Amino acid sequence: MLSRIVENTGHFMSTVSKAERKRYGQFFTNAATATFMASLFDLDMSGPSIDILDAGAGTGILCAALVQRLVDEGYTGRINVICYETDGRVLPLLEENMSFIARHRGVSYDIRRENYITSQPFAANQSLFGVQGETYDYVIGNPPYKKIPKEAEEAKAMQSVCHGSPNLYFLFMAMGVCNLRQGQELVYIIPRSWTSGAYFKKFRDYLLSNCVITDIHLFDSRDKVFDKDTVLQETIIVKVKKTMAAPESINMTTSSTSDFSDIRHYNAPYGTVVAKNRIVYLVTNDQESKVLNAIKTTSMRRCPG
Ligand SMILES: C[S@@+](CC[C@H](N)C(=O)[O-])C[C@H]1O[C@@H](n2cnc3c(N)ncnc32)[C@H](O)[C@@H]1O
């Protein structure tokens, strides 16, 4: 199933220029990355139905990878997939791919041809959190990477997580967390820039007040993640769970490229990665953890309290 969608995606990419795709923040996930992202979910197969959200779905590769895993592992309940996508050029292919999945795997789906952010039900005071929209069991995503002006509708609607001109990727992730059911999980591939800095503080505050981080994957090479594309920012894969019960450690993984053939694992203590000041430190081995803890201890001695 996935191979057919990958083939269709390759064909689509060869028909649209890179400049145009950049305008839409459009970088497609390759099959190995989509499969890896789907593998991160702790799936609960016991319920009668599972609702999946893929916002900024492109050709549908991410939800396809998750459906593939559910079916391969024997899930027999109903699977409902909601996709949001605004690019009229990719929508016919998304429709074709989703109807293929539905025919072959008995999945129901709905493609919303609307802006994922501005179509959500905001409270009268523009607060993101005043009204609860639809909720999902699993949220998977590779959102558009695009800076937008602070006057843009999306930025105005989500002021509570914005500082200046935001990037659409973290607005999508914040909205994804908002749309996630309690105790359930979100896996996103995003630039790593949100992990530190004042510019992302409101986003980190929202994220870490609602979720805990359970997994982070880093790529050693920044230009190999998106096949046939160039994303200048380094991307990471992050999984969060909507709960305030933090795990003891975070599963940190690293690979040279997005074929994941040389994946390395490290269990980093939760408090080492997610600091009290809500900066997220991407440590990938014991040595880095020790150096980081030593720096934190020294700076606490210098500035107690
Ligand atoms: C980075 S691409 C990822 C596509 C696909 N999820 C994948 O992983 O291959 C982001 C997608 O989001 C779509 N998009 C951009 N802005 C959007 C919006 N406001 N609402 C819904 N989709 C949007 C783009 O057209 C693009 O297809």
mmCIF file of all heavy atoms in Angstrom, residues 24-29 56-58 61-62 84-87 114-116 142-144 172, ligand 1:
data_model
loop_
_atom_site.group_PDB
_atom_site.id
_atom_site.type_symbol
_atom_site.label_atom_id
_atom_site.label_comp_id
_atom_site.label_asym_id
_atom_site.label_seq_id
_atom_site.Cartn_x
_atom_site.Cartn_y
_atom_site.Cartn_z
ATOM 1 N N TYR A 24 4.364 26.578 -0.570
ATOM 2 C CA TYR A 24 3.339 25.927 0.239
ATOM 3 C C TYR A 24 3.934 25.251 1.487
ATOM 4 O O TYR A 24 3.248 24.563 2.206
ATOM 5 C CB TYR A 24 2.607 24.851 -0.575
ATOM 6 C CG TYR A 24 1.559 25.412 -1.494
ATOM 7 C CD1 TYR A 24 1.913 25.983 -2.706
ATOM 8 C CD2 TYR A 24 0.213 25.373 -1.128
ATOM 9 C CE1 TYR A 24 0.959 26.502 -3.555
ATOM 10 C CE2 TYR A 24 -0.745 25.894 -1.975
ATOM 11 C CZ TYR A 24 -0.376 26.464 -3.188
ATOM 12 O OH TYR A 24 -1.334 26.979 -4.023
ATOM 13 N N GLY A 25 5.265 25.392 1.685
ATOM 14 C CA GLY A 25 5.900 24.706 2.819
ATOM 15 C C GLY A 25 5.812 23.204 2.640
ATOM 16 O O GLY A 25 5.627 22.445 3.583
ATOM 17 N N GLN A 26 5.989 22.766 1.365
ATOM 18 C CA GLN A 26 5.661 21.379 1.022
ATOM 19 C C GLN A 26 6.926 20.520 0.877
ATOM 20 O O GLN A 26 7.629 20.627 -0.125
ATOM 21 C CB GLN A 26 4.925 21.390 -0.316
ATOM 22 C CG GLN A 26 3.859 20.355 -0.454
ATOM 23 C CD GLN A 26 2.913 20.713 -1.578
ATOM 24 O OE1 GLN A 26 3.325 21.147 -2.640
ATOM 25 N NE2 GLN A 26 1.640 20.524 -1.344
ATOM 26 N N PHE A 27 7.223 19.702 1.890
ATOM 27 C CA PHE A 27 8.341 18.763 1.808
ATOM 28 C C PHE A 27 7.771 17.403 2.166
ATOM 29 O O PHE A 27 7.261 17.220 3.271
ATOM 30 C CB PHE A 27 9.454 19.175 2.777
ATOM 31 C CG PHE A 27 10.010 20.539 2.468
ATOM 32 C CD1 PHE A 27 9.567 21.649 3.164
ATOM 33 C CD2 PHE A 27 10.942 20.703 1.459
ATOM 34 C CE1 PHE A 27 10.044 22.911 2.863
ATOM 35 C CE2 PHE A 27 11.428 21.965 1.150
ATOM 36 C CZ PHE A 27 10.986 23.069 1.847
ATOM 37 N N PHE A 28 7.855 16.464 1.264
ATOM 38 C CA PHE A 28 7.180 15.187 1.491
ATOM 39 C C PHE A 28 8.053 14.196 2.242
ATOM 40 O O PHE A 28 9.268 14.133 2.034
ATOM 41 C CB PHE A 28 6.716 14.596 0.161
ATOM 42 C CG PHE A 28 5.666 15.429 -0.511
ATOM 43 C CD1 PHE A 28 5.900 16.026 -1.731
ATOM 44 C CD2 PHE A 28 4.435 15.633 0.106
ATOM 45 C CE1 PHE A 28 4.934 16.812 -2.342
ATOM 46 C CE2 PHE A 28 3.465 16.422 -0.498
ATOM 47 C CZ PHE A 28 3.717 17.007 -1.723
ATOM 48 N N THR A 29 7.414 13.407 3.072
ATOM 49 C CA THR A 29 8.118 12.408 3.876
ATOM 50 C C THR A 29 8.394 11.177 3.030
ATOM 51 O O THR A 29 7.520 10.733 2.275
ATOM 52 C CB THR A 29 7.240 12.014 5.088
ATOM 53 O OG1 THR A 29 6.757 13.199 5.712
ATOM 54 C CG2 THR A 29 8.024 11.208 6.094
ATOM 55 N N GLY A 56 -2.231 18.745 7.042
ATOM 56 C CA GLY A 56 -1.180 19.047 6.068
ATOM 57 C C GLY A 56 -0.741 17.727 5.461
ATOM 58 O O GLY A 56 0.434 17.369 5.422
ATOM 59 N N ALA A 57 -1.736 16.971 4.982
ATOM 60 C CA ALA A 57 -1.519 15.548 4.648
ATOM 61 C C ALA A 57 -0.722 15.336 3.371
ATOM 62 O O ALA A 57 -0.186 14.239 3.176
ATOM 63 C CB ALA A 57 -2.877 14.848 4.529
ATOM 64 N N GLY A 58 -0.623 16.333 2.494
ATOM 65 C CA GLY A 58 0.104 16.128 1.239
ATOM 66 C C GLY A 58 -0.526 14.988 0.454
ATOM 67 O O GLY A 58 -1.713 15.012 0.127
ATOM 68 N N ILE A 61 0.925 10.122 2.899
ATOM 69 C CA ILE A 61 1.873 9.041 3.221
ATOM 70 C C ILE A 61 1.935 8.725 4.721
ATOM 71 O O ILE A 61 2.108 7.567 5.112
ATOM 72 C CB ILE A 61 3.277 9.364 2.659
ATOM 73 C CG1 ILE A 61 4.167 8.123 2.772
ATOM 74 C CG2 ILE A 61 3.908 10.550 3.320
ATOM 75 C CD1 ILE A 61 5.360 8.147 1.880
ATOM 76 N N LEU A 62 1.764 9.746 5.565
ATOM 77 C CA LEU A 62 1.918 9.493 6.998
ATOM 78 C C LEU A 62 0.741 8.701 7.561
ATOM 79 O O LEU A 62 0.930 7.716 8.285
ATOM 80 C CB LEU A 62 2.084 10.820 7.757
ATOM 81 C CG LEU A 62 3.416 11.521 7.522
ATOM 82 C CD1 LEU A 62 3.473 12.835 8.274
ATOM 83 C CD2 LEU A 62 4.580 10.636 7.970
ATOM 84 N N TYR A 84 -6.335 17.098 6.537
ATOM 85 C CA TYR A 84 -6.530 18.492 6.101
ATOM 86 C C TYR A 84 -5.482 18.782 5.040
ATOM 87 O O TYR A 84 -4.311 18.417 5.205
ATOM 88 C CB TYR A 84 -6.321 19.475 7.257
ATOM 89 C CG TYR A 84 -7.458 19.562 8.230
ATOM 90 C CD1 TYR A 84 -7.585 18.639 9.254
ATOM 91 C CD2 TYR A 84 -8.407 20.580 8.138
ATOM 92 C CE1 TYR A 84 -8.628 18.723 10.176
ATOM 93 C CE2 TYR A 84 -9.451 20.669 9.053
ATOM 94 C CZ TYR A 84 -9.552 19.737 10.070
ATOM 95 O OH TYR A 84 -10.583 19.832 10.966
ATOM 96 N N GLU A 85 -5.878 19.435 3.963
ATOM 97 C CA GLU A 85 -4.915 19.810 2.914
ATOM 98 C C GLU A 85 -5.522 20.961 2.116
ATOM 99 O O GLU A 85 -6.706 20.929 1.779
ATOM 100 C CB GLU A 85 -4.611 18.607 2.006
ATOM 101 C CG GLU A 85 -3.651 18.885 0.860
ATOM 102 C CD GLU A 85 -2.305 19.519 1.264
ATOM 103 O OE1 GLU A 85 -1.579 18.928 2.078
ATOM 104 O OE2 GLU A 85 -2.018 20.629 0.771
ATOM 105 N N THR A 86 -4.667 21.973 1.810
ATOM 106 C CA THR A 86 -5.175 23.162 1.108
ATOM 107 C C THR A 86 -4.668 23.305 -0.323
ATOM 108 O O THR A 86 -5.162 24.149 -1.054
ATOM 109 C CB THR A 86 -4.765 24.452 1.877
ATOM 110 O OG1 THR A 86 -3.384 24.339 2.225
ATOM 111 C CG2 THR A 86 -5.583 24.664 3.122
ATOM 112 N N ASP A 87 -3.671 22.525 -0.713
ATOM 113 C CA ASP A 87 -3.077 22.714 -2.038
ATOM 114 C C ASP A 87 -3.891 21.957 -3.097
ATOM 115 O O ASP A 87 -3.880 20.716 -3.136
ATOM 116 C CB ASP A 87 -1.626 22.221 -2.008
ATOM 117 C CG ASP A 87 -0.950 22.364 -3.369
ATOM 118 O OD1 ASP A 87 -1.569 22.933 -4.293
ATOM 119 O OD2 ASP A 87 0.194 21.903 -3.502
ATOM 120 N N GLU A 114 -9.555 22.509 3.705
ATOM 121 C CA GLU A 114 -9.583 23.823 4.360
ATOM 122 C C GLU A 114 -8.344 24.006 5.230
ATOM 123 O O GLU A 114 -7.655 23.030 5.544
ATOM 124 C CB GLU A 114 -10.866 23.973 5.185
ATOM 125 C CG GLU A 114 -11.088 22.854 6.170
ATOM 126 C CD GLU A 114 -12.501 22.809 6.730
ATOM 127 O OE1 GLU A 114 -13.346 23.602 6.314
ATOM 128 O OE2 GLU A 114 -12.737 21.967 7.607
ATOM 129 N N ASN A 115 -8.136 25.265 5.598
ATOM 130 C CA ASN A 115 -6.980 25.621 6.415
ATOM 131 C C ASN A 115 -7.132 24.980 7.791
ATOM 132 O O ASN A 115 -8.078 25.268 8.523
ATOM 133 C CB ASN A 115 -6.930 27.156 6.516
ATOM 134 C CG ASN A 115 -5.708 27.646 7.239
ATOM 135 O OD1 ASN A 115 -5.325 27.115 8.275
ATOM 136 N ND2 ASN A 115 -5.104 28.695 6.689
ATOM 137 N N TYR A 116 -6.178 24.122 8.146
ATOM 138 C CA TYR A 116 -6.276 23.376 9.416
ATOM 139 C C TYR A 116 -6.380 24.305 10.622
ATOM 140 O O TYR A 116 -7.117 24.021 11.564
ATOM 141 C CB TYR A 116 -5.050 22.451 9.555
ATOM 142 C CG TYR A 116 -4.943 21.788 10.910
ATOM 143 C CD1 TYR A 116 -6.004 21.043 11.437
ATOM 144 C CD2 TYR A 116 -3.783 21.899 11.675
ATOM 145 C CE1 TYR A 116 -5.907 20.441 12.686
ATOM 146 C CE2 TYR A 116 -3.683 21.294 12.912
ATOM 147 C CZ TYR A 116 -4.748 20.574 13.420
ATOM 148 O OH TYR A 116 -4.651 19.978 14.649
ATOM 149 N N ASN A 142 3.604 15.994 9.363
ATOM 150 C CA ASN A 142 4.770 16.710 8.838
ATOM 151 C C ASN A 142 4.192 18.032 8.357
ATOM 152 O O ASN A 142 3.722 18.152 7.232
ATOM 153 C CB ASN A 142 5.387 15.906 7.682
ATOM 154 C CG ASN A 142 6.483 16.680 6.968
ATOM 155 O OD1 ASN A 142 6.940 17.714 7.441
ATOM 156 N ND2 ASN A 142 6.890 16.171 5.818
ATOM 157 N N PRO A 143 4.162 19.035 9.245
ATOM 158 C CA PRO A 143 3.427 20.268 8.933
ATOM 159 C C PRO A 143 4.191 21.149 7.953
ATOM 160 O O PRO A 143 5.378 20.918 7.721
ATOM 161 C CB PRO A 143 3.351 20.944 10.304
ATOM 162 C CG PRO A 143 4.592 20.487 11.004
ATOM 163 C CD PRO A 143 4.842 19.078 10.541
ATOM 164 N N PRO A 144 3.526 22.158 7.388
ATOM 165 C CA PRO A 144 4.254 23.105 6.526
ATOM 166 C C PRO A 144 5.293 23.859 7.345
ATOM 167 O O PRO A 144 5.030 24.242 8.482
ATOM 168 C CB PRO A 144 3.156 24.046 6.028
ATOM 169 C CG PRO A 144 2.003 23.860 6.948
ATOM 170 C CD PRO A 144 2.107 22.489 7.527
ATOM 171 N N PHE A 172 0.824 24.305 13.914
ATOM 172 C CA PHE A 172 0.216 22.995 13.626
ATOM 173 C C PHE A 172 0.411 22.043 14.809
ATOM 174 O O PHE A 172 -0.504 21.308 15.189
ATOM 175 C CB PHE A 172 0.838 22.370 12.363
ATOM 176 C CG PHE A 172 0.104 22.662 11.091
ATOM 177 C CD1 PHE A 172 -0.088 23.966 10.664
ATOM 178 C CD2 PHE A 172 -0.395 21.633 10.301
ATOM 179 C CE1 PHE A 172 -0.758 24.254 9.475
ATOM 180 C CE2 PHE A 172 -1.072 21.895 9.116
ATOM 181 C CZ PHE A 172 -1.247 23.204 8.699
HETATM 182 C C1 LIG B 1 5.602 19.584 4.702
HETATM 183 S S1 LIG B 1 4.240 19.138 3.679
HETATM 184 C C2 LIG B 1 3.971 17.500 4.251
HETATM 185 C C3 LIG B 1 3.066 16.654 3.437
HETATM 186 C C4 LIG B 1 2.840 15.256 3.991
HETATM 187 N N1 LIG B 1 2.289 15.292 5.321
HETATM 188 C C5 LIG B 1 4.118 14.465 4.024
HETATM 189 O O1 LIG B 1 4.590 14.192 5.112
HETATM 190 O O2 LIG B 1 4.630 14.131 2.955
HETATM 191 C C6 LIG B 1 2.913 20.093 4.419
HETATM 192 C C7 LIG B 1 1.589 20.081 3.686
HETATM 193 O O3 LIG B 1 0.700 20.971 4.358
HETATM 194 C C8 LIG B 1 -0.126 21.635 3.396
HETATM 195 N N2 LIG B 1 -0.601 22.886 4.026
HETATM 196 C C9 LIG B 1 0.021 24.089 4.061
HETATM 197 N N3 LIG B 1 -0.700 24.980 4.777
HETATM 198 C C10 LIG B 1 -1.812 24.315 5.197
HETATM 199 C C11 LIG B 1 -2.944 24.686 5.986
HETATM 200 N N4 LIG B 1 -3.048 25.910 6.511
HETATM 201 N N5 LIG B 1 -3.918 23.757 6.235
HETATM 202 C C12 LIG B 1 -3.811 22.510 5.725
HETATM 203 N N6 LIG B 1 -2.756 22.101 4.963
HETATM 204 C C13 LIG B 1 -1.764 22.979 4.711
HETATM 205 C C14 LIG B 1 0.804 21.840 2.200
HETATM 206 O O4 LIG B 1 0.083 22.013 1.006
HETATM 207 C C15 LIG B 1 1.627 20.533 2.239
HETATM 208 O O5 LIG B 1 1.039 19.553 1.415
#
